[in-house]
Amino acid sequence: MSASNDSERPTCRVLYPGSFDPLHLGHLDVIEQACELFGEVIVAVLYNFAKDSGMFSVDRRVELAEAATAHLPHVSVEKHAGLTTQAARAAEVDFIVKGLRTPGDFEIEQQMAQMNHSTSGVRTVFVPSRPDLSFVSSRFVREIAKYGGDIAHLVPLAVAHALAAEFDQHSHDGN
């Protein structure tokens, strides 16, 4: 098989949806794999406009995702309210990409993928996480950071700084 350059390789556009509150290295791994496999990746920061929830605002999550993916030229970050399938249609993607850490993730994600396909026609492709990142979750990262634990090996640098600032501010507020 001969080597080909990237300009000869067909690319497609994929959507990687999530709340990314905060984005961690497991997310970044899936984004990097999706770039390698597909070409163009849209990171969709999803939110429910009816609920003001999350540790970081949606705009802050977008900023942090942009900072974490700045080294990847074919990645863009967008915010979307509503359903993943609505974001996929709006972004005109070929596929939705979801990362899998555990067998339990597969069971949940497969059901969502089948529902999404049945309602929109957009297929989902699963990307397994690197084994050394399979334990990382946003919930655990927030919890560790809240109590002053070391999260530098779990998140991109911009996210580590944002978490430190967030929890430093809370400690000064008496929270």
Side-chain angles (χ1 to χ4, degrees):
M1 192 187 309
S2 66
S4 65
N5 69 39
D6 287 338
S7 65
E8 296 172 6
R9 179 193 216 193
T11 62
C12 59
R13 174 185 268 197
V14 298
L15 184 86
Y16 180 42
S19 61
F20 305 111
D21 191 28
L23 184 131
H24 54 68
L25 293 181
H27 293 132
L28 191 56
D29 171 51
V30 172
I31 294 165
E32 290 171 343
Q33 288 187 60
C35 284
E36 184 179 336
L37 293 168
F38 301 107
E40 185 178 354
V41 179
I42 298 169
V43 176
V45 177
L46 300 179
Y47 66 98
N48 180 341
F49 58 85
K51 289 198 260 181
D52 183 25
S53 63
M55 188 173 128
F56 291 114
S57 72
V58 174
D59 289 335
R60 185 68 173 131
R61 287 184 252 163
V62 168
E63 290 171 8
L64 292 171
E66 287 173 339
T69 59
H71 66 289
L72 300 167
H74 301 292
V75 173
S76 59
V77 182
E78 302 174 355
K79 63 182 177 181
H80 289 274
L83 302 172
T84 298
T85 53
Q86 293 167 326
R89 277 195 293 264
E92 299 178 339
V93 298
D94 300 296
F95 302 101
I96 295 168
V97 170
K98 296 296 292 228
L100 298 177
R101 295 174 296 185
T102 66
D105 283 352
F106 177 75
E107 290 180 17
I108 294 164
E109 295 295 348
Q110 180 185 27
Q111 187 176 15
M112 266 194 284
Q114 291 167 338
M115 181 61 72
N116 288 344
H117 183 257
S118 75
T119 60
S120 71
V122 179
R123 294 193 183 279
T124 299
V125 176
F126 300 125
V127 175
S129 68
R130 284 186 358 214
D132 62 319
L133 296 171
S134 64
F135 63 92
V136 183
S137 76
S138 294
R139 181 173 58 95
F140 292 155
V141 166
R142 286 191 307 268
E143 186 79 6
I144 294 165
K146 178 179 179 179
Y147 292 102
D150 180 18
I151 46 97
H153 62 294
L154 304 173
V155 297
L157 186 59
V159 174
H161 290 310
L163 285 165
E166 179 72 18
F167 288 116
D168 185 50
Q169 178 62 38
H170 284 285
S171 68
H172 293 297
D173 291 343
N175 291 332

